[in-house]
Amino acid sequence: MKDSWKTILILAYQSLGVVYGDLGISPLYVYKSTFAEDIQHSNTNEEIFGALSFVFWTLTLVPLFKYVFIVLRADDNGEGGTFALYSSICRHAKVSLLPNRQVADEALSTYKLEQPPEKNSSRVKMYLEKHKFLHTALLILVLLGTCMVIGDGLLTPAISVFSAVSGLEFFMSKEHHQYAVIPITCFIIVCLFALQHYGTHRVGFLFAPVVLIWLLCISALGLYNIIHWNSHVYQALSPYYMFKFLKKTRKRGWMSLGGILLCITGSEAMFADLGHFSYAAIQIAFTFLVYPALILAYMGQAAYLSKHHETNYQISFFVSVPESVRWPVLVIAILASIVGSQAIISGTFSIINQSQSLGCFPRVKVVHTSDKIHGQIYIPEINWLLMILCIAVTIGFRDTKHIGNASGLAVMTVMLVTTCLTALVIILCWHKPPILALCFLLFFGSIELLYFSASLTKFREGAWLPILLALFLTTIMFVWHYATIKKYEFDLHNKVSLEWLLALGPSLGIARVPGIGLVFTDLTSGIPANFSRFVTNLPAFHRTLVFVCVKSVPVPHVPPAERYLVGRVGPAAHRSYRCIVRYGYRDVHQDVDSFESELVDRLADFICYDWYKTDRTNLYTDDAVTSRSNESTSDGRLAVIGTVSLSGAPAYEIEETLQPASVSGGFTSVESVTDVIEMEPVRAVQRRVRFAIDDQSDTDAQSEINLQSQQELEDLFAAQQAGTAFILGHSHVRAKQGSSLLKRLAINFGYNFLRRNCRGPDVALKVPPVSLLEVGMVYVV
């Protein structure tokens, strides 16, 4: 076993606070929303027992069967969520719209790709790859799911805190309660968002105990109510009661399903937060604690209500709580609602960061709140925007019915998107027969569509909000993504040849100044147009020139040893290099100081490797050369430079395991690295090279190589001492003449407005202003 049982149980306990806060607090508002308007609680108890039957089967089929047993297996190297499904699909089929994809990316150890069988998925895969409009449709589907998660991040704090605070109605008069609930809810929401910048790790240790106490509390209350009021309530778990419910209530009963679906809010968090825990931990926590606790809570409420038809208060969770324990239960409920809200807010930050990494969201400031715990982030702009909208929703709607309708539609949309994407994963990634994926899609899709249709009927009673929000956010994200791709294509068509760069010299009045010039570009080959514009206007550039491409790859994490792809641009004497820095969509981007020093270290390693490689003493290859194509490239070979330092020692011993006395260097060199926009198959030559040099060798050639490599290293470190300049393009994008009105609106107004009002690339890359050189560029796309 990979993990010990002790580790799994500790993770299962910790997952309670992060994953199950939202799902655990749903008993606060499910029955209240269900009986709010469409159906009434009658003496026959058919309504309450029918609602209980629906709740039981919904909880069993969706979170337990669909998520725990199927969807959680569709992870992407241990990561979950909408983007994890999308990146898995993009790796197995050429449907990605992301620019600057390289063959070298497929050599990453996290680029987990199984060889597909000959015929199983070929038809679906070929059809998907052939039709470009399906690529766009798939991206829009993913963006829609993402936007609904953001919508959920806005609505969940409002409904959960509001429902918990509503318990005060039992301790004060109706007049006082009416004026007290809204301000208290808003105050708690403001505190919740104001504490976000401290990071969840500061109070995270309190989250799991709060949710555990809450789950034990609702289980105990449920058991008490079942034993005390109606021990035969278990009979209502039969599907027959669902039939009786719909037979009696008909259209009104169908419309009330919009309240029942709230029992599965937070199920998506199990999949989205998979990366923080493990499959076994989340499975154990849900199956053996959360699921039984929720079922007991709903059964207990139903048992109480089956014997109380005339209550002075609206149907709510606190009605079924014995008076003697109402105060402590209220306090625990408020704490649990805060924890549940915290989990969804953290999830919102995470998914926006992923969207930004994949070029689907305007640049925002991402603050990493913990050095030790990976993935804990805070986004100031989004945090304050969510807080304002959350307070506006609370004050605007003023009751759980309207907020519940809005939340229900957001939750069902995310689940439908997950179902569709998982069906594609079953065919493309798991290589199962398409009929199996169709059965999965029809079975779970039909359940979710039933609830989705019930939510849509509440359009005027609150469900309009997530639709409006999703349309607005999807438009922003799609416009940003579309313009990003158009800019990349413009750069690709306007790049300058290597010959142009090599021709620049004193004869043309071009001076080389001390220091390192880092030219940032999206291109993985060729010389970017912004550099040619820079040299044209200012006839000088740095003695050490590095073309840096910071790009995202469709994997969650890139191991640090495989992050840097380094190569030469032109001959060694020109002192020009290309460095491609690869990040996964969940990776933490380095700060500029560590990036600069690590980049110089990787360049030094590459220089050592490149010079010693020329002397082929004891050179041998591990892997056979598979194929050879496109031998003549604009700028030579790129090598994966790992974190093992090679600089400083003239001799290199190769061992199977790294010993203190020896240094091993494993490099994957990729020849013929070309830009692939249309994702056409490009063959690459891969060699895993290991080399050893006898330090007794003192031939003239060896001495010459040693001198030249030493000279190049000295030049590099001297340039580092002289200072580093960051050369970035400052772009203005304009739609070309003859473009459609929609394109002109999207590019000229939409994208340029977003670009002016979001963080610049210098802020995203954390470039110090004193070292920044911006080159103005007009993109006509």
Side-chain angles (χ1 to χ4, degrees), residues 172-181:
M172 54 176 68
S173 66
K174 215 165 191 177
E175 290 77 23
H176 288 117
H177 173 257
Q178 193 179 344
Y179 296 108
V181 171

Side-chain angles (χ1 to χ4, degrees), residues 631-649:
E631 283 289 17
S632 57
T633 56
S634 58
D635 36 301
R637 180 171 47 240
L638 292 170
V640 177
I641 303 296
T643 51
V644 179
S645 178
L646 294 178
S647 50

Side-chain angles (χ1 to χ4, degrees), residues 528-554:
N530 64 351
F531 179 70
S532 66
R533 191 179 177 87
F534 170 75
V535 174
T536 306
N537 288 284
L538 185 72
F541 61 94
H542 298 81
R543 284 179 189 159
T544 300
L545 194 62
V546 188
F547 294 98
V548 181
C549 171
V550 179
K551 61 178 252 186
S552 286
V553 219

Side-chain angles (χ1 to χ4, degrees), residues 659-674:
Q659 301 294 333
S662 67
V663 179
S664 71
F667 304 100
T668 306
S669 62
V670 179
E671 307 211 14
S672 337
V673 178
T674 56

